[in-house]
Amino acid sequence: MTNQDPPVIEIRDLHKSFGALEVLKGVDIRACKGDVVSLIGSSGSGKSTLLRCANLLENSQQGEILFEGEQVKWRGDDLHRHPADRDQIRRIRTNLAMVFQQFNLWAHMTILQNVMEAPITVLGEDRTEVEGRARALLDKVGIGDKCDAYPAQLSGGQQQRAAIARALAMRPKALLFDEPTSALDPELEQEVVRVIKALAEEGRTMIIVTHDMRLAADVSDHIVFLHQGKIEEEGPPEEIFANPATTRLRQFLSATVPE
């Protein structure tokens, strides 16, 4: 990245409410090309909501969202605010691939078909070219031998790796992970962690919501600690984990970081 390049994702003063409940209370984050930003915090702190707002799966009530310097266009105010340009939203979502906690694979399709579907139907790419890329991506995440299997025939860790391959098949500018390992047993969790670490080493731009402090410490360039809808503390992992400045972060880490 050069100094002139805008961040891949930038959020400024974001506010999000569900009815009378304000979940995000003026949050600023940014991820430049190649950055790995991890969002940590207790349940209910607003981490997943922030990620969903970044990908425009949720509408925010105030603040700006920018993708590579381009501002999302809005119509309406407050709880009635929503994106104004459908083509812009489609284009941004195509470049911000989301990996969910619960995999969200299509049960009636094989793993290979799952990975191929969006590039063919959304991007209109050639089927033969997409199939070659999909098989390579499944090899990359370690399940190339499962191309013809259906999601129900795979372990949770294998399904999540298939979901990552599906996200990569869109060749996105950034990956957004929403608790990618929290639904997995510890042994299966490590399969997914290895894939995420490899993506970080490749220089992929990622924002990761995670409860796994070791993963956050190992892969992140920047940690954001959310508490009650606000950024309580942020910084490089060596500072956040070794020398937390706030009482609330110290309490959180003492309860979550293994001895």
Side-chain angles (χ1 to χ4, degrees):
M1 175 175 169
T2 68
N3 292 334
Q4 288 74 38
D5 291 332
V8 178
I9 306 169
E10 185 172 9
I11 290 174
R12 302 173 182 167
D13 190 34
L14 198 74
H15 292 253
K16 167 66 181 174
S17 297
F18 293 101
L21 176 64
E22 190 175 17
V23 179
L24 297 174
K25 305 171 183 177
V27 174
D28 300 271
I29 65 167
R30 59 190 289 166
C32 295
K33 186 176 180 181
D35 283 352
V36 180
V37 178
S38 287
L39 308 179
I40 65 172
S42 303
S43 297
S45 60
K47 307 183 303 297
S48 292
T49 299
L50 177 57
L51 206 65
R52 291 176 66 83
C53 286
N55 202 36
L56 304 167
L57 294 173
E58 295 281 357
N59 292 335
S60 52
Q61 280 71 61
Q62 182 181 325
E64 296 301 331
I65 300 171
L66 298 89
F67 175 71
E68 295 189 323
E70 177 187 355
Q71 285 192 342
V72 172
K73 300 170 185 174
W74 301 99
R75 180 180 293 122
D77 296 310
D78 199 39
L79 293 174
H80 301 290
R81 185 170 95 148
H82 60 277
D85 186 337
R86 289 185 179 181
D87 289 338
Q88 181 190 47
I89 300 316
R90 189 179 301 112
R91 177 165 41 79
I92 290 174
R93 282 183 180 157
T94 299
N95 281 288
L96 297 178
M98 190 105 166
V99 178
F100 297 91
Q101 178 179 342
Q102 296 295 343
F103 324 136
N104 289 7
L105 297 171
W106 291 295
H108 65 289
M109 293 183 178
T110 66
I111 296 305
L112 180 62
Q113 289 169 337
N114 263 276
V115 177
M116 292 176 60
E117 179 68 11
I120 291 172
T121 59
V122 177
L123 301 180
E125 294 187 357
D126 176 74
R127 178 175 292 274
T128 301
E129 180 185 330
V130 171
E131 180 175 346
R133 186 163 81 245
R135 289 183 182 277
L137 287 169
L138 289 168
D139 283 338
K140 180 188 184 76
V141 300
I143 53 170
D145 59 333
K146 302 295 184 183
C147 284
D148 298 323
Y150 288 87
Q153 298 172 306
L154 271 59
S155 70
Q158 290 170 332
Q159 289 186 60
Q160 190 61 293
R161 285 184 281 162
I164 294 172
R166 182 177 64 180
L168 291 170
M170 294 294 284
R171 292 184 283 203
K173 300 288 182 68
L175 291 163
L176 309 179
F177 289 90
D178 189 7
E179 295 280 13
T181 61
S182 65
L184 304 176
D185 294 332
E187 184 177 357
L188 300 180
E189 182 177 342
Q190 290 311 303
E191 300 174 354
V192 177
V193 167
R194 282 194 289 272
V195 172
I196 295 173
K197 286 182 178 178
L199 294 174
E201 289 169 0
E202 289 178 6
R204 299 268 182 180
T205 307
M206 298 189 281
I207 299 179
I208 306 173
V209 169
T210 184
H211 68 287
D212 185 337
M213 296 302 105
R214 285 180 175 165
L215 172 63
D218 286 348
V219 305
S220 303
D221 301 293
H222 193 76
I223 306 283
V224 176
F225 172 56
L226 283 169
H227 177 56
Q228 296 181 348
K230 295 182 178 180
I231 295 177
E232 181 84 3
E233 193 168 341
E234 62 180 313
E238 54 272 19
E239 288 183 12
I240 291 293
F241 291 113
N243 191 30
T246 63
T247 300
R248 185 67 197 95
L249 178 55
R250 286 195 292 272
Q251 291 171 342
F252 173 77
L253 292 176
S254 69
T256 56
V257 176
E259 296 295 335

